[in-house]
């Protein structure tokens, strides 16, 4: 399955048979006080700096989230999208729980973005999917619905299937639906990782869709987060994860290793190229 995203002038393929695609998470005000301050003043310098540094660190797509208390995201999300697209040429993942902000951002964005997100709630399906169809975007489907979040992988799979079917009925091609199995903190629930890992496997084996997830969600509240995230990432990728939302500075080397091990990087070209690029950046 190939999901194609577009920036101003470039095309990016997320391919279930190809290398892992990294969606950079850092343009997100959670835990970034300085980003809240600057964005509140319509100052996009820090957001642009985060865009550039994530691309240097290996991001293929940039998640853009401007959610913080009191924000007018209906205005700020499209403005941020425009500022970032003036500065860099990679596809965007537009991240907001507010359908009105998604709509204004869809009108402002160039190319073909990934919209983050729709879920299995009736209201979400009815508001988001028509916008995706109208603008020819791709969409992330979160596997929760009007009954909330289930801990049964088979039920999470059924919600993924429902989202896919509703998207197809709306006229959205199946390849433009990317499923998020809802990775959550393993400190709060011992089964949290097993549930999502099994959901990834079911969605991969039965639907063949591309799959994303927040790469660091599982390690909230715990030490040694990078090692914990990487152990979980290895199994997730092996089960069918194709495009994690992650901090590229912390994950790219690991992801390149996974691609090489899985015979998705002939002659270790990408693995070594990334190493030499990073060495050159260090010395520049
Ligand atoms: N699924 C989907 N979208 C998502 C998430 C998901 N969007 C938001 C979030 N989860 C992913 N994005 C972030 C952005 C920032 C941080 C984490 C996830 C973050 N993390 C570190 C922390 O928590 O301490 C700090 C920075 C770091 O260590 O690099 O700030 O699950 N569809």
């Amino acid at each position: 399955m190939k999901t194609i995203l577009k920036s101003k002038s470039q095309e990016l393929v997320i391919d279930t048979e190809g290398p892992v695609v990294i969606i950079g998470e850092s343009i997100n005000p959670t835990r970034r006080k300085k980003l809240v301050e600057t964005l509140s003043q319509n100052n996009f310098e820090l957001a642009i700096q985060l865009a550039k540094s994530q691309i240097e660190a290996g991001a293929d797509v940039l998640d853009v989230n401007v959610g913080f208390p009191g924000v007018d995201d209906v205005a700020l999300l499209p403005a941020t999208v425009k500022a970032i697209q003036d500065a860099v040429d990679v596809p965007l993942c537009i991240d907001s729980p507010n359908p009105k902000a998604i709509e204004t951002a869809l009108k402002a964005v160039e190319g073909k973005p990934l919209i983050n997100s729709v879920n299995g709630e009736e209201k979400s399906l009815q508001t988001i999917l028509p916008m995706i169809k109208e603008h020819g975007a791709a969409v992330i489907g979160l596997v929760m619905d009007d009954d909330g979040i289930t801990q049964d992988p088979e039920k999470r799979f059924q919600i993924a299937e429902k989202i896919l079917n509703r998207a197809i009925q709306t006229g959205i091609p199946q390849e433009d639906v990317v499923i998020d199995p809802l990775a959550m903190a393993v400190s709060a629930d011992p089964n949290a990782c097993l549930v999502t890992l099994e959901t990834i496997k079911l969605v991969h084996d039965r639907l063949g869709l591309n799959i994303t997830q927040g790469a660091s969600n599982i390690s909230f509240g715990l030490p040694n987060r990078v090692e914990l995230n990487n152990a979980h990432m290895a199994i997730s990728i092996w089960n069918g994860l194709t495009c994690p939302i992650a901090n590229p500075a912390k994950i790219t080397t690991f992801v390149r290793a996974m691609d090489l091990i899985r015979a998705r990087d002939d002659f270790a070209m990408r693995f070594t190229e990334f190493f030499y690029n990073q060495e050159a950046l260090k010395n520049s």
Side-chain angles (χ1 to χ4, degrees):
M1 189 86 61
K2 289 182 170 70
T3 307
I4 296 173
L5 303 181
K6 292 174 190 164
S7 60
K8 273 180 303 188
S9 73
Q10 310 264 56
E11 221 175 74
L12 175 84
V13 184
I14 311 172
D15 185 351
T16 49
E17 307 300 316
V20 170
V21 163
I22 297 169
I23 304 175
E25 72 182 11
S26 308
I27 304 173
N28 185 320
T30 313
R31 290 166 197 246
R32 281 191 197 271
K33 201 159 158 255
K34 191 90 201 169
L35 190 59
V36 175
E37 279 171 25
T38 54
L39 288 177
S40 311
Q41 299 157 354
N42 277 307
N43 170 357
F44 301 107
E45 263 170 58
L46 178 55
I48 289 168
Q49 194 186 313
L50 288 167
K52 290 179 176 167
S53 60
Q54 287 184 98
I55 294 168
E56 278 189 349
D60 303 292
V61 177
L62 297 174
D63 190 85
V64 181
N65 181 313
V66 301
F68 51 85
V71 66
D72 173 15
D73 51 354
V74 176
L76 186 58
L77 190 57
T80 308
V81 160
K82 278 194 170 153
I84 292 168
Q85 287 201 307
D86 280 342
V88 298
D89 194 16
V90 299
L92 301 184
C93 174
I94 295 169
D95 187 353
S96 172
N98 181 0
K100 293 206 168 71
I102 296 276
E103 189 169 31
T104 52
L106 270 169
K107 286 179 177 150
V109 72
E110 289 183 77
K112 179 183 175 189
L114 181 59
I115 296 303
N116 189 3
S117 56
V118 70
N119 64 60
E121 291 171 20
E122 202 47 47
K123 201 169 153 221
S124 175
L125 294 165
Q126 284 174 15
T127 46
I128 302 293
L129 292 180
M131 294 184 207
I132 302 299
K133 164 68 182 162
E134 184 189 340
H135 293 273
V139 67
I140 295 175
L142 306 181
V143 292
M144 53 193 272
D145 67 7
D146 293 291
D147 295 329
I149 299 175
T150 164
Q151 300 308 317
D152 179 349
E154 194 66 51
K155 289 191 179 137
R156 286 197 191 184
F157 166 78
Q158 284 164 9
I159 300 172
E161 195 174 39
K162 174 171 84 174
I163 294 169
L164 173 62
N165 287 336
R166 291 288 291 269
I168 291 169
Q169 282 167 24
T170 311
I172 299 161
Q174 61 169 354
E175 60 269 22
D176 285 340
V177 178
V178 175
I179 295 298
D180 183 330
L182 296 183
M184 288 181 297
V186 72
S187 55
D189 172 7
N191 279 316
C193 291
L194 281 185
V195 173
T196 52
L197 289 168
E198 185 59 24
T199 304
I200 290 172
K201 198 164 160 43
L202 294 175
V203 171
H204 171 79
D205 290 355
R206 297 179 188 168
L207 302 177
L209 295 176
N210 275 303
I211 299 169
T212 186
Q213 82 187 345
S216 59
N217 301 6
I218 67 132
S219 62
F220 282 127
L222 291 170
N224 292 335
R225 291 185 65 177
V226 168
E227 292 80 359
L228 184 55
N229 291 341
N230 284 350
H232 177 249
M233 186 55 51
I235 311 174
S236 297
I237 291 171
W238 189 248
N239 280 13
L241 179 74
T242 53
C243 48
I245 304 175
N247 181 344
K250 293 184 177 171
I251 207 182
T252 307
T253 305
F254 183 83
V255 158
R256 292 287 187 277
M258 287 299 296
D259 288 336
L260 178 56
I261 289 166
R262 295 181 305 144
R264 294 177 190 214
D265 181 11
D266 292 353
F267 309 107
M269 293 285 283
R270 279 163 56 87
F271 188 83
T272 47
E273 194 186 0
F274 182 71
F275 172 77
Y276 287 116
N277 283 345
Q278 295 306 108
E279 289 297 298
L281 279 172
K282 268 186 232 163
N283 298 327
S284 69

